[in-house]
């Protein structure tokens, strides 16, 4: 399973990258706003740091303008993935840009039918939003499962990029189902390392070590 980090914060990306945890990065207009950075500059910096796919999202709503924005974003670096919304115009732009050999991530996917269309339009990645479905009392993991079955039924090569991940269980369930990629905020990836029994066991080891009076260094 590939790990993408869902942020435009360079420091966070660098820390996880040093640990070998970053196979790619995803950004969106809200994350660019949060970073306070210029989209072209920050995307260039991220692409120089991480060799894997780096999603940068268009903001136009009609296909022709999306295509022009996508071409401009793709010129930043070879590893830019053009992120397009799952609208009819977004699908048109996906077909054109993927036909030009550019990586495309189709985002804001909330149904298996949408995912089927994105695969047929040549998407490299489909981004189903788990957390936002959970927010409205629909199980987001059911969508990941449905897309996995449908893509496997027909051999679609579009990669399932589980997005809008809010908890470590979203990552675990995505791995169980066989999502190709997860994209998660830094804090959720870091939370995967935590376990109360690890903390408890370590406290006991430290207390016993103290009693030995020994030192290693
Ligand atoms: O990758 C999409 C993600 O940024 C959306 O997450 O938590 O805003 O629903 P969230």
């Amino acid at each position: 399973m590939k790990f993408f980090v869902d942020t435009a914060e360079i420091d966070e990306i660098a820390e996880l990258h040093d640990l070998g945890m970053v196979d790619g990065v995803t950004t969106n207009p809200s994350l660019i706003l949060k970073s306070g950075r210029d989209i072209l500059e920050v995307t260039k910096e991220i692409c120089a740091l991480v060799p894997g796919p780096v999603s940068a999202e268009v903001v136009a709503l009609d296909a022709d303008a999306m295509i022009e924005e996508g071409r401009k974003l793709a010129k930043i670096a070879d590893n830019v993935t053009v992120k397009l919304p799952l609208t009819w115009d977004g699908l048109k732009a996906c077909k054109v840009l993927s036909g030009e050999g550019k990586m495309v991530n189709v985002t804001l996917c909330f149904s298996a039918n949408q995912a089927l269309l994105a695969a047929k339009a040549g998407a490299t990645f489909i981004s189903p939003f788990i957390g936002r479905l959970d927010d409205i009392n629909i199980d987001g993991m059911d969508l990941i499962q449905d897309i996995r079955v449908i893509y496997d039924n027909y051999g679609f090569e579009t990669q399932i990029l589980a997005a809008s991940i809010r908890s470590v269980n979203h990552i675990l369930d995505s791995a169980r189902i066989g999502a190709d990629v997860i994209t998660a905020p830094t804090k959720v990836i870091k939370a995967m390392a935590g376990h109360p029994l690890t903390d408890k066991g370590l406290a006991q080891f430290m207390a016993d070590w103290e009693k030995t009076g020994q030192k290693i260094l």
Side-chain angles (χ1 to χ4, degrees), residues 47-149:
C47 287
L49 183 62
V50 174
V54 175
S55 290
E57 189 161 342
V58 304
V59 290
L61 298 176
D62 72 278
D64 287 344
M66 283 182 192
I67 291 164
E68 287 314 307
E69 287 184 356
R71 286 176 179 149
K72 181 168 180 178
L73 293 170
K75 275 190 191 142
I76 296 172
D78 288 345
N79 52 332
V80 164
T81 300
V82 180
K83 203 171 180 189
L84 301 165
L86 210 157
T87 59
W88 197 247
D89 280 74
L91 292 169
K92 285 183 190 169
C94 176
K95 183 70 182 163
V96 171
L97 293 170
S98 62
E100 292 175 358
K102 296 173 176 59
M103 289 190 288
V104 174
N105 175 2
V106 179
T107 189
L108 289 167
C109 171
F110 294 96
S111 80
N113 276 337
Q114 289 181 314
L116 184 50
L117 291 174
K120 290 189 75 68
T124 317
F125 300 101
I126 182 70
S127 288
F129 274 32
I130 301 170
R132 292 191 194 185
L133 283 170
D134 288 355
D135 288 344
I136 58 164
N137 289 326
I138 295 173
D139 188 344
M141 296 318 304
D142 287 348
L143 176 57
I144 304 292
Q145 180 70 64
D146 282 350
I147 299 172
R148 181 74 282 153
V149 168

Side-chain angles (χ1 to χ4, degrees), residues 6 28 31 83 129 132 163-164 166 183:
D6 197 27
N28 62 38
L31 294 171
K83 203 171 180 189
F129 274 32
R132 292 191 194 185
S164 185
R166 309 270 177 77
T183 188

Side-chain angles (χ1 to χ4, degrees), residues 9-11 13-15 17-18 44-52 79:
E9 309 295 331
I10 294 284
D11 292 352
I13 297 166
E15 185 191 355
H17 181 58
D18 286 348
K44 192 173 179 184
E45 275 181 48
I46 298 169
C47 287
L49 183 62
V50 174
N79 52 332

